[in-house]
Amino acid sequence: MIHFDDDEYWAYMDNEAIESEEYTDILNTAIHEIGHAIGIDHIEAKPEAIMAPFYRYTRDAFGNYIPPKLTTFDIAAAQAIYGARKMKTNDEDDNGYNPPSN
Ligand SMILES: [Zn+2]
């Protein structure tokens, strides 16, 4: 279950709202909370990770919005639980079916 706190003011990729520091970027928070929902813990020593233990400010030094992006640390944490995506081989169809060769 993912819960968004009623006490927060949420903005969706709204740079001006986020600049006011009265609003929290819901996209960044949603990705982080979904990470917890699928079993990922905080990644302590990587402040750039979506799964860092604190809110990541989504504006750069020039005041531009930084869209949330999974880092290699976030991806590795998910793959540690679920495994890496299986790459399709040339012989497989789009459903992953590998026809027997004669
Ligand atoms: Zn968290």
Side-chain angles (χ1 to χ4, degrees):
M1 183 176 139
I2 297 167
H3 174 80
F4 296 99
D5 200 334
D6 272 347
D7 297 336
E8 296 265 4
Y9 292 106
W10 299 102
Y12 174 71
M13 299 178 74
D14 183 336
N15 203 26
E16 284 181 34
I18 294 163
E19 180 183 21
S20 73
E21 299 190 8
E22 291 173 19
Y23 289 83
T24 302
D25 185 26
I26 197 164
L27 181 59
N28 190 74
T29 304
I31 296 170
H32 180 99
E33 293 305 323
I34 290 167
H36 284 312
I38 66 170
I40 301 174
D41 291 329
H42 286 147
I43 300 172
E44 295 292 338
K46 306 295 179 191
E48 68 272 38
I50 294 276
M51 295 311 294
F54 43 82
Y55 178 66
R56 210 176 115 270
Y57 198 56
T58 53
R59 286 166 52 86
D60 68 15
F62 304 103
N64 300 308
Y65 180 74
I66 309 168
K69 188 172 187 299
L70 296 177
T71 65
T72 55
F73 311 110
D74 300 298
I75 294 166
Q79 289 181 340
I81 300 171
Y82 297 101
R85 174 168 45 180
K86 186 171 160 276
M87 289 300 167
K88 197 167 71 170
T89 65
N90 287 337
D91 292 336
E92 283 177 338
D93 68 15
D94 288 338
N95 299 316
Y97 176 67
N98 196 353
S101 55
N102 293 323

